[in-house]
Amino acid sequence: MKTAVCPGSFDPITLGHLDIIKRASTLFDKVIVLVVVNPNKHPAFTAAERVEMIKKAVVGIENITVDSYEGLLIDYVRQVGAAAIVKGLRAMSDFEYEFQMALTNKKFLPCAETVFLTTGIQNMYLSSSLVKQVAQFNGDISDFVPTVLYDEIAARLIPKSDKGRE
Ligand code: PNS
């Protein structure tokens, strides 16, 4: 049984993330979507909120589970015995950082492979930071996040004074 870990901040999950997660679930027997907690960051959503949101976005896909972890990604991968780490690549600009991470992870855990999936063309420009930026100025984020999560994400990210204008 081959398990893959799909790690990320997911603050919040976007349609780009969801596309990668769903495609990974067709390639591996089991996929664990992992909210990695970085104590140096100040996320808009708590780790528990991010886990719950991802669970709602992947409901019905039997081989996907969701978890969170504070620590080195590779320690989690080792603990669960995963064969692979799956990451999405949007552009060459992602590559340099991801390549460094993949090589570092390979050094610590040689038996785990990093698998890169190219983003869907429709999601090339998408990121959680973009979602937060657009929402902050009451822009329309409905094409960026899973429909089932739109209300929850908008409620948190769109400034209160703008909500009456929707
Ligand atoms: O781009 P993201 O979504 O913020 O990615 C988060 C993560 C953890 C997948 C990425 O930073 C990574 O691959 N980090 C590897 C180093 C590590 O284990 N960090 C954990 C403590 S922050």
Side-chain angles (χ1 to χ4, degrees), residues 62-118:
E62 298 297 331
N63 65 336
I64 300 180
T65 58
V66 189
D67 199 0
S68 67
Y69 186 70
E70 183 166 350
L72 273 185
L73 167 62
I74 209 67
D75 287 338
Y76 183 92
V77 172
R78 187 185 290 112
Q79 276 170 34
V80 298
I85 296 165
V86 175
K87 301 292 301 270
L89 278 186
R90 285 165 301 194
M92 284 308 287
S93 52
D94 281 346
F95 184 76
E96 203 170 333
Y97 172 77
E98 295 298 349
F99 191 58
Q100 184 186 27
M101 283 302 153
L103 290 177
T104 307
N105 291 335
K106 191 81 183 154
K107 174 167 175 53
F108 286 122
L109 190 59
C111 62
E113 299 293 346
T114 298
V115 175
F116 293 115
L117 299 184
T118 49

Side-chain angles (χ1 to χ4, degrees), residues 9-11 35-37 43 45-54:
S9 302
F10 303 111
D11 185 45
V35 174
V36 180
V37 179
F45 297 89
T46 67
E49 287 171 335
R50 284 177 272 163
V51 166
E52 287 312 309
M53 287 195 294
I54 299 167

Side-chain angles (χ1 to χ4, degrees), residues 6 11 32 38 44 53 56-57 63 71 103 126 138 157 161 165:
C6 275
D11 185 45
I32 304 171
N38 181 343
M53 287 195 294
K56 287 179 199 163
N63 65 336
L103 290 177
L126 259 186
N138 200 19
L157 297 180
S161 56
R165 288 190 229 152

